[in-house]
Amino acid sequence: MYKITDIDTIHLEITQKCQAACPMCDRNMNGQGINPHINLDELTLEDCKKIFTVDFVKQLKSMYMCGNLGDPIVATDTLEVFEYFRQHNPNVHLSMNTNAGAKKPDWWQKLARVFGKQGHVIFSVDGLADTNHLYRQGVNWKIVEQSMKAFINAGGRARWDFLIFEHNQHQVEQAKTMADSLGFETFVAKKTGRFVTATTEKKESHQAKDRKGKDSTELKKPDAKYLNKALKQQDELVNRHGSMDAYYDSASIKCKVSNTTTKSLYISAEGLALPCCWTAGRMYKWWHKDPKKEEPVWNFIERAGGKDKVDARYGLDKVFNTGIFDDIANSWNKTSCADGKLKVCAMKCGAEFDPFAEQFK
């Protein structure tokens, strides 16, 4: 797939902790309780220094914090880790995705100074004062607005990502106007892929739970103009291939993280090095009794020698030496997922079907 010297982009998930309870996030069970398969792991500054040597940091073009389970604003050492990267690579582009519902204004001001013009924050805010919390459960609007203003007013570059549901679609233009007034460089109305399933099942809505297990918001698809086009493409694929599984078996893989323009590596809050957040995201699906028996990505981890062998805190070079990245890439030539083709690669990087990219169109 690639060599360690090829890597120019790092996707770092510094923590599995988050103050929110978003109902379509794998961190929790529909917003109710914490995923029983995770331990709320978090990387420290010292962990990051072990993983990312000074020489390695110098070769990077970009480092961003996002991930599957946590929000970087909740981690203890987020600011210090960004400072470490900036210290050893003045030109690296730094960025972060966040719900913005934590930290004091002075923290955001410091972050803006560390990022400078070579960085930006993506604020994931899905509505306004009366709607954002319907999906971003547990996020305080006053803190969100305070955080956005503190960062931007300190010179920070910012983008607003707005996931569109039925309950907030009427506020898209109002939110864009607010973004312009606050000084955001970009406003992105995202046509969420959260209603696209891996099967032919039609997902019209999603019942959220609160932390006590009671029904909260019923999340519904927006009107047609805000729908992710992959929903229609899915019907076309099923007509041609017979089923989504048949498509995944035959799908040509165009890997998003090892393409000709960038070579990206993902590091989880456990310190595990995997090609992307999507492969890592299959490790701990909360609805599995035992994910290791039900998710094929574990087969690749076990062939590499187990989690310890892909733990980058023991050395990124050692992870590359396990051959796990080539093992994953070689699986794409298998005749089917049952034969060993890694299904998540076909789901996320299949050439004919890309719900992720369609969010931004």
Side-chain angles (χ1 to χ4, degrees):
M1 181 181 285
Y2 42 39
K3 306 185 295 293
I4 189 170
T5 52
D6 294 331
I7 303 300
D8 60 22
T9 300
I10 287 293
H11 177 180
L12 175 62
E13 180 162 21
I14 194 170
T15 187
Q16 293 178 346
K17 299 173 185 176
C18 185
Q19 90 284 24
C22 302
M24 289 171 151
C25 172
D26 285 342
R27 184 178 177 275
N28 55 73
M29 300 177 288
N30 292 334
Q32 180 177 351
I34 301 297
N35 182 334
H37 304 304
I38 66 173
N39 298 313
L40 301 182
D41 291 293
E42 182 170 303
L43 296 173
T44 65
L45 174 61
E46 292 307 311
D47 289 330
C48 290
K49 287 180 177 179
K50 291 176 183 176
I51 297 169
F52 309 110
T53 65
V54 170
D55 285 343
F56 182 79
V57 171
K58 289 179 178 178
Q59 81 182 40
L60 297 176
K61 295 179 181 177
S62 174
M63 187 279 272
Y64 64 101
M65 292 190 192
C66 185
N68 299 312
L69 304 167
D71 192 304
I73 57 173
V74 179
T76 301
D77 289 348
T78 292
L79 184 61
E80 290 75 15
V81 171
F82 278 129
E83 288 174 335
Y84 172 73
F85 276 79
R86 175 62 74 225
Q87 175 188 357
H88 297 293
N89 189 338
N91 298 315
V92 66
H93 189 93
L94 303 174
S95 64
M96 175 179 81
N97 293 62
T98 178
N99 65 53
K103 299 298 185 188
K104 299 294 185 182
D106 66 325
W107 188 92
W108 289 99
Q109 292 161 2
K110 290 176 183 177
L111 184 70
R113 290 193 290 270
V114 173
F115 279 14
K117 295 306 176 185
Q118 285 293 102
H120 70 286
V121 168
I122 299 171
F123 290 92
S124 298
V125 179
D126 310 320
L128 299 172
D130 60 333
T131 55
N132 182 58
H133 64 282
L134 297 179
Y135 180 70
R136 303 280 168 181
Q137 296 185 141
V139 175
N140 184 298
W141 176 261
K142 289 183 179 179
I143 298 176
V144 170
E145 195 169 358
Q146 173 182 276
S147 301
M148 295 191 297
K149 289 178 179 178
F151 180 74
I152 294 171
N153 291 342
R157 301 174 59 198
R159 183 178 109 192
W160 183 331
D161 276 11
F162 184 112
L163 285 176
I164 309 172
F165 298 95
E166 183 189 66
H167 67 259
N168 65 10
Q169 62 185 355
H170 64 289
Q171 295 178 321
V172 171
E173 292 305 317
Q174 188 180 351
K176 185 180 186 306
T177 298
M178 180 179 179
D180 291 340
S181 69
L182 290 176
F184 278 85
E185 291 188 353
T186 312
F187 178 86
V188 179
K190 287 179 68 175
K191 297 173 181 176
T192 180
R194 283 161 173 75
F195 294 99
V196 179
T197 67
T199 67
T200 55
E201 175 192 356
K202 298 296 183 182
K203 189 178 181 69
E204 297 298 326
S205 66
H206 184 96
Q207 181 59 62
K209 302 282 187 179
D210 63 21
R211 286 191 170 102
K212 295 180 180 179
K214 296 181 179 179
D215 286 354
S216 52
T217 305
E218 183 181 3
L219 302 165
K220 297 180 180 180
K221 294 192 298 187
D223 292 344
K225 73 174 184 176
Y226 292 129
L227 278 181
N228 190 302
K229 290 183 180 179
L231 288 163
K232 182 178 180 180
Q233 294 168 349
Q234 194 170 31
D235 292 335
E236 295 169 354
L237 284 174
V238 171
N239 287 336
R240 276 192 283 127
H241 294 274
S243 69
M244 286 305 295
D245 280 336
Y247 162 68
Y248 296 138
D249 285 341
S250 62
S252 174
I253 308 298
K254 291 188 176 181
C255 179
K256 292 180 174 68
V257 300
S258 65
N259 58 44
T260 56
T261 58
T262 188
K263 305 289 183 185
S264 177
L265 183 70
Y266 167 83
I267 305 294
S268 78
E270 294 180 276
L272 308 184
L274 289 165
C276 62
C277 64
W278 293 305
T279 49
R282 302 305 304 184
M283 292 177 64
Y284 301 121
K285 295 299 185 184
W286 63 263
W287 55 84
H288 291 321
K289 183 176 181 180
D290 184 354
K292 290 184 178 181
K293 294 180 179 179
E294 300 180 68
E295 288 292 343
V297 68
W298 283 101
N299 297 334
F300 294 84
I301 293 171
E302 293 305 319
R303 285 201 293 270
K307 281 173 64 175
D308 284 349
K309 295 298 183 181
V310 295
D311 189 333
R313 290 171 293 187
Y314 300 118
L316 260 181
D317 56 336
K318 293 180 181 178
V319 180
F320 275 82
N321 288 340
T322 67
I324 187 172
F325 303 114
D326 289 335
D327 192 18
I328 289 172
N330 290 338
S331 81
W332 303 337
N333 298 319
K334 300 287 186 178
T335 56
S336 68
C337 296
D339 186 42
K341 181 180 185 178
L342 188 53
K343 185 175 181 178
V344 66
C345 296
M347 291 167 62
K348 301 300 182 181
C349 294
E352 297 180 71
F353 187 60
D354 195 349
F356 175 78
E358 291 295 339
Q359 293 184 108
F360 304 94
K361 295 180 179 179

